[in-house]
Amino acid sequence: MAAPAGPVLDTAHYYMKHSFDVQDYKLLLDLYTCYAPSYPDSFSAKEVITFRVDSALTFIRLNALNTSLIVDSVGLSGNGFTHMNDTLTVLLDRTYQPGEVAGVRICYRHKNIFDHGFYSYGGFVFTDAPPEGARKWFPCWDRPSDKATTDITVKVPLSVRLGSNGILADSVISGDTLWYHWVSRDPMATYLVTLTSKVGYNIHPQWYHLYHHPSDSIPVRFFYKTGENIGNISGVITPLTDLYSGYFGDYPFEKIGFAVPDGSFPWGGMENQTMVNLYPGGFGNTAVIAHEHSHQWFGDMITCGTWADIWLNEGFATFCELLWVENSDGYSVYKSTLSTYASDFMATTASFPIYNPSWAIHTPPISQLYSTTIIYHKSACVLHQLRHVLGDSLFFAAMKSYASDTAFRFGNAVTEDFIAKVNETAGQDLSWFFNEWIYQPHYPVYENVYDIIDDGNGTWEVNLKISQTQINTVFFTMPIEIRVTFQDLSDTLIKIVNYSNNQLFNFTFSKKPTGLLFDPDNNILLKKATTLLGVQKKSEGERPALYQNEPNPFSVATMIRYHVSMPCHVRISILDEQGRLILVPVDRNLTNGTYRLDLSAGDLHEGVYYYRMEAGDYNATRKMVVSK
């Protein structure tokens, strides 16, 4: 949905705790009188809910808001009911055992009230259900985890054109009446069930040939009122679908549908499954189209398991919207837009993390659930930062693996599922990344200092101290790029891992440095940082020092020199490129002096490593390369 004009609780799989599983909603709606003055919101309906029993049942509870709906009777397996507040309790005709399939028939009416779920005005009739508004126009289990197919038949005047989820199975004319019958073969969450209609609606048909199976095609339908220009969406929908299909797999559903209701539609867009609604004028807004269309993969095909996992919908769609920007306008525009989103987030006073475990049980206010700065913008920036950490190849492989996993396709996923899929695809444990960026609030604030020291023998040292000063969240471990500039106008890019606060890095060069840039390409979007030049003098006898290994790179062995300025405990550790400890060749008390460590390549694989020295308050890290 477009934005409007580590866990404390064990809630990751809360969505599974449900005594029955709805298989199908079959609706018969009589909307005939809703299209003429005075455009009433009242209608009558019949519904059959088919469900599979998960634990022994004598009744089922459904959501049906009693300020909107009046339930007249229940039948089939239903044998009585009570209706209080938003809960409809249907008594069953016997005890049903796990594995049995049953159905209840509900006859009900919608009151003549405006409830922000069912809209009837000026010849338009449409529904809007996020996050839990489906209960305003049909009884259902109104949580995102219980997905079901739909079979919707609607009675309207002959002049009305009506779209809904799935495929139009048939339309039958009887006198001045038209019966539309829409069927979705793919299960969906209740908040994605929709219908959109209008007297005199125009329907523009075209076809999309699947990206990976071009001999197969699906219908594309645009519902629009006279005078609306559909040229932009008609032209962009094929390349946009191709782009997402290339990244995440073929478009997953049987139809692509877009419609524009009237001005009372409350959002920029709503990703109803196969039937997206856009705000008036939205056909011309490619960014909103891209956002909503990507939801068909992330939000509709794979739906958040709980509302605590809403970022798997909205953060992903915001990021995908920018993938289209990158594809059409270039990486620099993609990056500058993300930088703007990061600035918007860091300017907000909101203080909750992206993942809030209590939301799995208690749905928060819409202003929090759909927080533009946190759930949309921060989440998209986090995905970009994950892209930076993994590199494009691994990142997009992980995204495609997640989107194509049959454990999630046409079902649900929670945040832990996505993390596990990323770890599996990347072949490494990235829990540290998600723990700080998803499960914790805020962002790091860096106050760094560096100095440039002339060794007096044709070499220069650059010492960098990286400090995080935020007090409202955790320490953020991150790989960081450092760019050192030189007097000859050249520069060099150095990659380091900042895994502790006040961490000291030391670099030696054979030409004169003139400056240092911290994260020069702003790959850590979510941060505030200052990096200042200090003034120090070289004096080996006054402070510890860790020197660059020689030779570097090396294939057999290398030598590491280090200086201890006073008696203390010294520990030297060897780390891999992800900051994981490999071995500790030095871990003992030493007196002041200069020492030598001979390190054999031994069982080290070819690649980048770091060696770290800890001596009292001194902490320094250098990079070395094994080349075999």
Side-chain angles (χ1 to χ4, degrees):
M1 182 170 64
V8 176
L9 302 176
D10 181 18
T11 57
H13 294 278
Y14 172 80
Y15 70 95
M16 294 180 177
K17 299 176 182 178
H18 186 32
S19 59
F20 62 94
D21 181 6
V22 177
Q23 304 293 296
D24 182 73
Y25 293 102
K26 187 172 185 177
L27 292 167
L28 176 61
L29 309 173
D30 183 356
L31 305 184
Y32 189 90
T33 62
C34 297
Y35 297 90
S38 60
Y39 307 111
D41 291 291
S42 56
F43 64 84
S44 60
K46 295 179 181 179
E47 176 184 23
V48 174
I49 301 177
T50 303
F51 60 94
R52 187 190 69 234
V53 177
D54 288 342
S55 60
L57 291 176
T58 57
F59 64 88
I60 63 170
R61 287 195 176 100
L62 301 166
N63 298 116
L65 195 63
N66 68 359
T67 55
S68 296
L69 302 181
I70 300 171
V71 176
D72 294 317
S73 66
V74 299
L76 295 179
S77 300
N79 190 31
F81 70 93
T82 60
H83 189 194
M84 298 181 62
N85 299 322
D86 78 339
T87 301
L88 172 64
T89 302
V90 178
L91 306 178
L92 302 178
D93 57 359
R94 63 177 175 86
T95 300
Y96 285 82
Q97 299 300 323
E100 288 192 87
V101 175
V104 296
R105 182 178 62 242
I106 303 169
C107 296
Y108 69 96
R109 289 169 287 145
H110 189 277
K111 297 179 181 179
N112 187 23
I113 63 165
F114 176 61
D115 58 12
H116 299 277
F118 181 82
Y119 294 76
S120 175
Y121 180 77
F124 278 97
V125 172
F126 65 95
T127 62
D128 183 66
E132 294 172 349
R135 65 189 70 186
K136 296 177 181 178
W137 66 280
F138 69 99
C140 56
W141 178 257
D142 203 13
R143 299 287 284 182
S145 58
D146 195 345
K147 301 173 76 169
T149 57
T150 58
D151 183 314
I152 302 175
T153 301
V154 188
K155 178 184 177 182
V156 298
L158 189 60
S159 58
V160 170
R161 298 295 175 266
L162 180 144
S164 187
N165 311 97
I167 289 291
L168 183 62
D170 58 63
S171 55
V172 177
I173 297 174
S174 176
D176 63 351
T177 300
L178 183 55
W179 296 85
Y180 284 100
H181 182 199
W182 287 90
V183 178
S184 175
R185 69 184 182 194
D186 299 310
M188 75 187 83
T190 50
Y191 76 96
L192 299 171
V193 180
T194 192
L195 55 87
T196 303
S197 60
K198 181 187 182 300
V199 174
Y201 239 177
N202 299 296
I203 303 174
H204 174 78
Q206 61 189 65
W207 295 84
Y208 172 73
H209 293 269
L210 298 181
Y211 183 76
H212 291 103
H213 301 88
S215 61
D216 293 337
S217 61
I218 59 172
V220 180
R221 299 293 183 263
F222 303 125
F223 292 74
Y224 65 103
K225 60 181 181 288
T226 300
E228 282 185 309
N229 186 346
I230 64 168
N232 177 65
I233 191 171
S234 178
V236 79
I237 197 65
T238 291
L240 181 61
T241 311
D242 283 348
L243 178 73
Y244 293 153
S245 297
Y247 277 128
F248 314 123
D250 271 334
Y251 180 80
F253 298 117
E254 53 197 331
K255 174 183 101 261
I256 296 173
F258 282 82
V260 171
D262 76 348
S264 59
F265 177 65
W267 311 100
M270 176 57 211
E271 66 273 14
N272 308 305
Q273 191 163 302
T274 73
M275 192 62 190
V276 172
N277 279 344
L278 300 175
Y279 72 98
F283 282 147
N285 190 329
T286 303
V288 173
I289 294 167
H291 181 105
E292 302 306 331
H293 196 44
S294 72
H295 268 308
Q296 301 303 309
W297 286 264
F298 303 115
D300 295 9
M301 181 185 73
I302 302 178
T303 306
C304 59
T306 77
W307 294 126
D309 308 290
I310 186 65
W311 78 282
L312 297 177
N313 291 15
E314 299 302 345
F316 280 48
T318 305
F319 179 79
C320 289
E321 172 190 331
L322 294 182
L323 286 181
W324 172 255
V325 169
E326 180 180 358
N327 176 75
S328 58
D329 300 324
Y331 183 82
S332 62
V333 180
Y334 155 91
K335 191 67 175 297
S336 66
T337 306
L338 277 168
S339 297
T340 299
Y341 288 171
S343 297
D344 290 345
F345 159 67
M346 291 186 291
T348 186
T349 57
S351 60
F352 54 88
I354 289 173
Y355 181 93
N356 300 272
S358 63
W359 293 8
I361 302 171
H362 304 292
T363 305
I366 286 180
S367 61
Q368 292 184 27
L369 182 65
Y370 295 120
S371 166
T372 302
T373 54
I374 294 178
I375 301 303
Y376 291 69
H377 290 175
K378 182 183 180 183
S379 296
C381 290
V382 168
L383 286 173
H384 168 79
Q385 293 180 176
L386 180 62
R387 178 182 182 180
H388 167 62
V389 168
L390 291 178
D392 275 13
S393 179
L394 273 181
F395 173 77
F396 286 111
M399 293 287 281
K400 191 166 189 175
S401 181
Y402 171 66
S404 60
D405 194 319
T406 55
F408 314 130
R409 282 176 62 85
F410 305 106
N412 297 86
V414 295
T415 299
E416 287 181 0
D417 294 326
F418 177 66
I419 295 172
K421 179 55 66 175
V422 171
N423 289 343
E424 174 189 321
T425 307
Q428 54 183 288
D429 185 359
L430 287 149
S431 298
W432 59 269
F433 177 90
F434 294 100
N435 286 341
E436 60 198 29
W437 292 111
I438 298 297
Y439 293 128
Q440 298 295 330
H442 302 298
Y443 52 87
V445 177
Y446 295 96
E447 293 184 6
N448 309 320
V449 63
Y450 74 97
D451 58 58
I452 300 172
I453 299 172
D454 185 348
D455 287 337
N457 59 0
T459 62
W460 286 262
E461 290 186 31
V462 174
N463 299 301
L464 169 65
K465 184 179 181 181
I466 299 179
S467 302
Q468 294 184 26
T469 61
Q470 67 274 4
I471 58 174
N472 53 6
T473 188
V474 298
F475 176 86
F476 288 77
T477 294
M478 280 296 286
I480 298 170
E481 293 180 342
I482 303 296
R483 178 170 288 134
V484 179
T485 57
F486 297 94
Q487 195 173 45
D488 64 2
L489 304 183
S490 64
D491 62 64
T492 186
L493 189 68
I494 303 169
K495 296 182 179 180
I496 58 177
V497 179
N498 178 213
Y499 50 79
S500 64
N501 208 0
N502 301 313
Q503 191 172 357
L504 183 64
F505 297 86
N506 177 264
F507 315 102
T508 302
F509 302 99
S510 59
K511 54 184 177 180
K512 185 176 181 179
T514 56
L516 179 147
L517 298 175
F518 178 84
D519 190 22
D521 295 322
N522 194 31
N523 285 310
I524 306 176
L525 292 161
L526 302 167
K527 71 175 187 308
K528 291 183 179 178
T530 58
T531 303
L532 303 176
L533 175 64
V535 179
Q536 295 187 26
K537 293 184 178 180
K538 168 73 173 177
S539 177
E540 187 176 86
E542 295 177 359
R543 62 186 181 88
L546 178 66
Y547 302 102
Q548 187 64 53
N549 64 303
E550 297 177 356
N552 189 41
F554 67 99
S555 59
V556 178
T558 190
M559 182 268 293
I560 299 172
R561 288 193 311 119
Y562 57 99
H563 179 76
V564 180
S565 60
M566 59 184 295
C568 64
H569 185 85
V570 177
R571 178 184 170 95
I572 295 181
S573 309
I574 309 299
L575 313 169
D576 67 10
E577 192 171 13
Q578 284 72 48
R580 294 175 294 203
L581 180 66
I582 302 299
L583 66 128
V584 181
V586 177
D587 190 11
R588 61 184 187 273
N589 294 321
L590 294 174
T591 59
N592 57 307
T594 300
Y595 295 83
R596 168 176 174 160
L597 168 64
D598 291 307
L599 182 67
S600 171
D603 295 329
L604 296 178
H605 299 292
E606 186 173 64
V608 175
Y609 293 85
Y610 298 91
Y611 55 99
R612 177 177 68 197
M613 174 180 169
E614 298 166 278
D617 295 333
Y618 179 82
N619 187 319
T621 302
R622 287 183 175 275
K623 182 170 73 172
M624 63 183 180
V625 178
V626 176
S627 177
K628 295 185 177 180

